[in-house]
Amino acid sequence: MKLRNYQQTAVTNFKNNGRVGIFNMATGTGKTYTSIAAAQDYYQEYQRQFLVIIVPFVHLVSQWESSLKAAGINVDCHIFGNSREWIHSLHDLVWFYNRNFRSRVVVIGTYQSIVSNKFENCIRNLDFQQSFLLGDECHYLGANDKQRNFLYNFPNRLGLSATPTRWWDITGTDFVRKIFGEDVYEYSLETAIKNHFLTQYEYDPIIAPFTEEEMEEFEYLTTKVKSMMHRKQKDSKIRDSLQLLLLKRARLIKQAAVKQSLLEQVLLRQKDHHYTLIYCSDKQEIHQIMQLLHRHQITCHNFDSDLSKIKRQQVLIKFSKGEIEVLVAVKCLDEGVDIPATREAFFLASTTNPREFVQRRGRILRLSPGKNKAILHDFVVFPPKDYLGKDTETLIKHELPRVFDLNEFALNKFTARKKLIPILRKLKLERYLDKSPQEIYLEAQEGMKKYGITTRY
């Protein structure tokens, strides 16, 4: 396995840090191969290793296995699905490894299965001295249901993520850092584009104003949210109710009525619809968008959890060949699915989570023959025209951090800003164009602390 210079630097940094750390590398820069090289480097030095690789989704298991085989590494056990299919095999592998009948064991599975009690029980008696934990998209480990302390038994722990910090989740982020430590190597999106490992892109923020009715609903939900945040006592019922209100408000923004008509206007101006991706908020919106595309005789296909693994591959191949012009997708494209042929993408489903829009952008910026740049169309929800109500700032703070991040490395970053400045200046909120998601997050955290709120929402 021949590594690029920066990948070799990452492996060396990891080793020099006691083989604990995170590769914070942009999507498309070779995190997988770099991490396999780090694991291989350890095995070559000690000639003994119990390697456990964790991935977020089942479909990534086969992708990882292909990469491992290319490096001459065979997988001994798959940990996902029905535990009866792997539990006895894993017990046997631990037994043979502990007694030195095996110098190396490689298992790979999903977070859901590997953080389970059944997996923990299987490896309880493992000789952990030369064990190695490799966590792909390691931010997943910070979720409440995945925080398992037994993972700390692995002395060698390598995490991979372009977004290791969990949004609105200090406790979860702290756990990820407890297991995998600090970033030992970072390769940013800006560097990846500059060095031609990712394609350059333009950013097109499309202003999508709320209707009067939607703004009234947003105001109502925001008032209830603020009321709950002011309560001194926060029992579980109040926290759950607050979570539901925040989700309902976020869904209102994601599904703003004007977005579909604005999408139609842009599509009608396009001369060529090939290699276009549309991100939707849910399957219902997928159906609506596909009806819109069919009306204009644009060939399209859904890409969601209803598709089998084989069907997904068939759809992606047809898309890359131009037989399907438009893919209409939901969250399942966020991580682990390569769609390098994509040249234009529409973000209908607004999100405040940097991990989600960073991953989506990374999927779209993959290199592909004949692709000189990508265009990202982002529907940014604003208040209705001439609205000057009390909740304008709340809505702007929801939308603008994403604009900051997506626009930061765009070819046309100053042109994109000019589309938004007049409206923000009128609202006296122009300052939010220059606030990063992290700055907005810290600002919100300070507000929560004032009301004694320490739980994430």
Side-chain angles (χ1 to χ4, degrees):
M1 182 185 295
K2 184 172 177 58
L3 298 179
R4 298 185 176 111
N5 289 338
Y6 72 87
Q7 293 172 317
Q8 185 57 60
T9 300
V11 172
T12 301
N13 288 1
F14 177 66
K15 182 177 181 178
N16 291 342
N17 199 54
R19 289 191 167 102
V20 174
I22 293 174
F23 290 166
N24 184 343
M25 299 169 68
T27 300
T29 56
K31 290 194 297 290
T32 299
Y33 285 107
T34 309
S35 65
I36 291 173
Q40 191 75 331
D41 177 68
Y42 180 89
Y43 179 66
Q44 288 171 351
E45 182 174 344
Y46 291 95
Q47 292 299 301
R48 183 168 168 80
Q49 184 181 64
F50 196 100
L51 175 61
V52 175
I53 301 171
I54 326 177
V55 299
F57 307 115
V58 172
H59 71 263
L60 292 178
V61 170
S62 58
Q63 289 187 27
W64 267 87
E65 188 162 11
S66 296
S67 299
L68 288 162
K69 283 183 178 179
I73 302 171
N74 293 319
V75 173
D76 298 299
C77 187
H78 301 99
I79 314 294
F80 62 85
N82 192 332
S83 61
R84 285 179 296 182
E85 297 179 4
W86 54 261
I87 197 166
H88 295 299
S89 176
L90 183 57
H91 267 299
D92 290 344
L93 288 167
V94 170
W95 191 91
F96 281 107
Y97 178 80
N98 283 348
R99 287 158 181 79
N100 293 313
F101 293 119
R102 295 284 301 268
S103 63
R104 191 181 210 182
V105 171
V106 179
V107 302
I108 183 170
T110 61
Y111 280 96
Q112 182 176 354
S113 294
I114 286 182
V115 301
S116 67
N117 290 331
K118 291 177 180 178
F119 181 83
E120 181 181 6
N121 289 334
C122 279
I123 66 166
R124 189 178 301 278
N125 298 319
L126 175 68
D127 175 7
F128 278 97
Q129 188 173 357
Q130 264 84 45
S131 63
F132 194 117
L133 180 69
L134 202 168
D136 186 23
E137 307 297 353
C138 63
H139 46 265
Y140 278 94
L141 202 61
N144 286 335
D145 62 340
K146 295 185 175 57
Q147 295 182 20
R148 299 299 299 272
N149 287 318
F150 79 88
L151 298 174
Y152 198 74
N153 291 332
F154 291 82
N156 307 285
R157 303 182 300 276
L158 174 58
L160 312 179
S161 180
T163 51
T165 300
R166 290 177 59 83
W167 188 235
W168 290 97
D169 187 4
I170 293 175
T171 302
T173 298
D174 286 346
F175 186 81
V176 173
R177 293 298 184 181
K178 172 188 173 183
I179 298 297
F180 293 109
E182 297 303 312
D183 299 349
V184 293
Y185 187 76
E186 183 175 357
Y187 199 90
S188 68
L189 180 87
E190 182 180 23
T191 304
I193 293 174
K194 181 180 178 181
N195 292 337
H196 308 292
F197 294 125
L198 293 175
T199 189
Q200 54 191 355
Y201 71 98
E202 292 182 359
Y203 176 60
D204 175 31
I206 299 173
I207 297 169
F210 263 152
T211 63
E212 297 290 345
E213 292 77 13
E214 288 170 331
M215 195 65 213
E216 287 179 9
E217 177 69 9
F218 183 86
E219 287 178 336
Y220 169 74
L221 292 171
T222 300
T223 298
K224 295 195 72 173
V225 165
K226 290 178 179 178
S227 174
M228 286 191 175
M229 284 186 170
H230 279 71
R231 295 188 188 185
K232 292 183 179 179
Q233 300 299 322
K234 297 291 183 300
D235 59 31
S236 59
K237 288 184 178 179
I238 291 177
R239 287 196 296 269
D240 290 345
S241 297
L242 181 54
Q243 177 70 14
L244 287 173
L245 284 171
L246 290 169
L247 289 172
K248 191 173 182 180
R249 192 174 68 178
R251 193 177 303 117
L252 182 69
I253 297 172
K254 286 183 178 181
Q255 299 177 346
V258 74
K259 289 184 179 182
Q260 292 190 23
S261 61
L262 290 171
L263 170 66
E264 186 173 24
Q265 292 174 25
V266 177
L267 288 172
L268 290 176
R269 290 199 298 268
Q270 284 183 325
K271 294 181 180 179
D272 187 356
H273 301 108
H274 284 90
Y275 311 117
T276 296
L277 172 63
I278 300 175
Y279 269 104
C280 297
S281 59
D282 54 31
K283 292 178 183 178
Q284 181 180 352
E285 189 170 53
I286 281 183
H287 178 69
Q288 294 168 350
I289 297 303
M290 289 184 67
Q291 285 185 321
L292 184 157
L293 295 170
H294 286 144
R295 285 200 302 271
H296 296 289
Q297 299 181 323
I298 300 172
T299 60
C300 60
H301 207 291
N302 62 304
F303 198 95
D304 54 40
S305 58
D306 289 340
L307 295 184
S308 67
K309 182 179 177 181
I310 293 175
K311 185 62 177 177
R312 286 187 185 191
Q313 289 301 318
Q314 292 172 344
V315 169
L316 290 176
I317 289 171
K318 288 184 177 180
F319 179 70
S320 65
K321 290 181 177 179
E323 296 173 17
I324 296 172
E325 294 176 277
V326 180
L327 280 186
V328 190
V330 285
K331 193 175 179 179
C332 62
L333 266 177
D334 281 357
E335 287 162 328
V337 179
D338 289 335
I339 43 170
T342 305
R343 299 182 187 181
E344 292 204 43
F346 292 85
F347 293 171
L348 278 178
S350 307
T351 174
T352 61
N353 189 333
R355 176 174 59 80
E356 291 186 9
F357 55 74
V358 165
Q359 290 285 352
R360 291 174 186 180
R361 176 176 56 187
R363 298 285 126 211
I364 294 152
L365 301 189
R366 297 276 190 168
L367 300 177
S368 182
K371 178 179 174 181
N372 299 317
K373 68 177 179 180
I375 302 175
L376 311 184
H377 304 276
D378 180 23
F379 293 82
V380 185
V381 177
F382 270 62
K385 187 178 180 181
D386 299 325
Y387 174 86
L388 295 172
K390 57 186 174 64
D391 291 318
T392 300
E393 187 169 358
T394 302
L395 179 58
I396 296 301
K397 285 168 69 174
H398 181 284
E399 294 289 85
L400 266 293
R402 184 180 73 257
V403 172
F404 176 95
D405 252 17
L406 293 178
N407 188 52
E408 188 174 10
F409 304 119
L411 288 169
N412 63 329
K413 63 180 298 182
F414 298 108
T415 303
R417 284 172 61 91
K418 286 180 181 178
K419 294 181 68 173
L420 300 171
I421 285 175
I423 301 175
L424 291 170
R425 188 169 290 162
K426 183 178 179 181
L427 296 171
K428 299 180 180 179
L429 296 173
E430 188 179 352
R431 65 186 181 278
Y432 283 108
L433 259 183
D434 297 307
K435 283 183 178 282
S436 69
Q438 182 67 10
E439 289 170 325
I440 295 288
Y441 168 68
L442 292 174
E443 185 179 291
Q445 284 295 116
E446 286 301 313
M448 287 184 174
K449 286 178 184 177
K450 185 170 66 175
Y451 300 118
I453 301 171
T454 56
T455 307
R456 71 183 180 93
Y457 294 110

